Amino acid sequence: MSGQDPHRRLAPVVRLAPAKVNLTLALLGARADGFHELHSIMVPLDLSDRLSVSVLPAGAADSLHVTGFDPGPAPENLVLRAIATARRAAHPAWGRREPPPALAVRLDKRIPVAAGLGGGSADAAAAADAALEAWGVEVEPAARHALFAELGSDVPFFLAGGPALVEGRGERVTPLPWLRDADDAHERPGLLVVTPGLGISTRAAFRAWDDGARVPGGAARLASAHLAEELRKGLKVADLLVRASVLAAANDLGPAAAVVEPALVTFKRALLRLLGRPVGISGSGPTHWALYPSLTDAATAAGALRAAVATGELPSPGGRPPFIASTRILSTTTPRRDA
Ligand code: C5P
């Protein structure tokens, strides 16, 4: 489809870019291309970045203005890469000689950076999606998937619009039904996320796994396959909470993250002591998570942890107090596009 004149669009395109958490993350092996085969159940969260994308006049260059958490230097930002890649993918359907016009992006970063919460990947997915809408260009589902996969291993997950099983290096995404009774009538489960103030390089964590920082036995893979099967059959909120300790242990990158950042060992021990419930790690960390029956319960726990930071009972590795938030798992992300 050829694009309508995007310069006539006055209102910016607004997108929420939700964080993700890995409820499970099994590594099945290293591949020849340097990536690893995964089996992971990923869920989007209420905790989101917010992007606003406007079309610029002819002759301008793409620009990015960030508030909130500092994502590092703009040229390296995935948002600008996503727009450049989307422009290339959109050009054939755009139907003109010149490429689709430059965009100005305002990004309000509320998701901590390099935290295992997929914030950069969510921003890239949202930016590519918003750019296509701003230009008025439709891209076939297969081309859209290829565009997202090119941007990073975690990016295709955000096409699912809800919880999903993620396989391959991250490009095989199968949407999963979410909890049968988790709707507005029955409160959706709450999630406490705690991110210590130190970034972990995903690459370094995978390398530590390659070098032997792993638990033998394949328990994470079993737990991951089992959760996918149970969600398909229809799981309830209470069933998920009962499984929290199995899920919290089902991350093959947990031991690797602790090798990369040994301070995580004492940090997690303190969390376990203070919360008295299972604590998992998301992706390659350093974000930790704990499941609660409701958002209210997660918020109470967040308050207790903030008090523990003040007294020094919860350490602050990296020299900064940890980011602590109570949030909820989203069963679907599509209705929130323009929220
Ligand atoms: O794809 P992305 O750029 O997010 O990946 C960052 C790094 O994480 C890769 O360079 C690779 O070292 C590692 N990775 C991996 N296997 C995956 C995903 C990421 O080894 N499935």
Side-chain angles (χ1 to χ4, degrees):
M1 191 188 94
S2 143
Q4 293 150 5
D5 184 358
H7 295 292
R8 286 172 46 207
R9 172 185 274 288
L10 294 177
V13 177
V14 174
R15 286 284 183 280
L16 286 180
K20 62 83 181 166
V21 149
N22 302 78
L23 289 182
T24 62
L25 176 53
L27 266 59
L28 310 187
R31 315 189 330 177
D33 63 4
F35 287 89
H36 294 74
E37 283 289 309
L38 312 175
H39 191 290
S40 178
I41 311 285
M42 285 166 58
V43 293
L45 305 181
D46 262 328
L47 172 68
S48 322
D49 290 342
R50 185 178 182 278
L51 280 98
S52 155
V53 173
S54 315
V55 176
L56 288 170
D62 292 330
S63 67
L64 175 64
H65 175 78
V66 185
T67 51
F69 286 111
D70 179 6
E76 289 160 33
N77 198 285
L78 260 182
V79 165
L80 290 177
R81 243 186 68 204
I83 286 174
T85 312
R87 182 175 288 113
R88 250 182 287 123
H91 203 165
W94 172 243
R96 302 171 202 192
R97 239 166 63 100
E98 77 280 6
L103 300 174
V105 184
R106 302 182 84 83
L107 169 62
D108 185 13
K109 261 210 98 45
R110 304 164 190 172
I111 307 171
V113 176
L117 289 168
S121 302
D123 295 346
D129 192 52
L132 295 175
E133 180 165 326
W135 295 324
V137 173
E138 299 261 355
V139 172
E140 293 297 312
R144 186 180 285 259
H145 180 273
L147 160 63
F148 277 43
E150 189 182 336
L151 293 170
S153 303
D154 278 347
V155 182
F157 161 71
F158 293 99
L159 279 171
L165 165 63
V166 175
E167 296 170 282
R169 68 167 265 217
E171 78 285 4
R172 283 211 322 272
V173 178
T174 313
L176 288 170
W178 192 228
L179 308 171
R180 293 199 254 159
D181 56 346
D183 51 32
D184 287 337
H186 290 78
E187 201 171 2
R188 291 178 284 146
L191 197 77
L192 173 70
V193 294
V194 189
T195 312
L198 36 87
I200 289 195
S201 143
T202 306
R203 185 187 294 264
F206 276 102
R207 203 176 300 131
W209 186 86
D210 287 336
D211 292 344
R214 45 178 114 164
V215 183
R221 182 181 189 166
L222 274 179
S224 196
H226 197 211
L227 180 63
E229 192 186 310
E230 289 191 309
L231 283 169
R232 286 193 180 112
K233 283 191 201 144
L235 209 62
K236 292 187 175 176
V237 175
D239 302 324
L240 183 74
L241 292 165
V242 165
R243 284 152 184 75
S245 60
V246 172
L247 301 178
N251 183 339
D252 279 335
L253 282 179
V259 166
V260 176
E261 273 298 347
L264 288 186
V265 177
T266 36
F267 187 78
K268 182 168 179 184
R269 205 176 294 140
L271 278 180
L272 287 167
R273 195 181 59 244
L274 289 161
L275 299 175
R277 62 170 51 229
V279 172
I281 194 165
S282 184
S284 54
T287 295
H288 292 69
W289 56 259
L291 271 167
Y292 286 85
S294 70
L295 180 62
T296 314
D297 293 326
T300 305
L305 281 193
R306 289 191 191 104
V309 172
T311 59
E313 281 174 282
L314 183 64
S316 297
R320 273 183 287 145
F323 168 85
I324 300 168
S326 48
T327 181
R328 287 188 300 188
I329 296 171
L330 291 174
S331 50
T332 169
T333 54
T334 27
R336 298 166 51 84
R337 285 191 148 197
D338 292 310

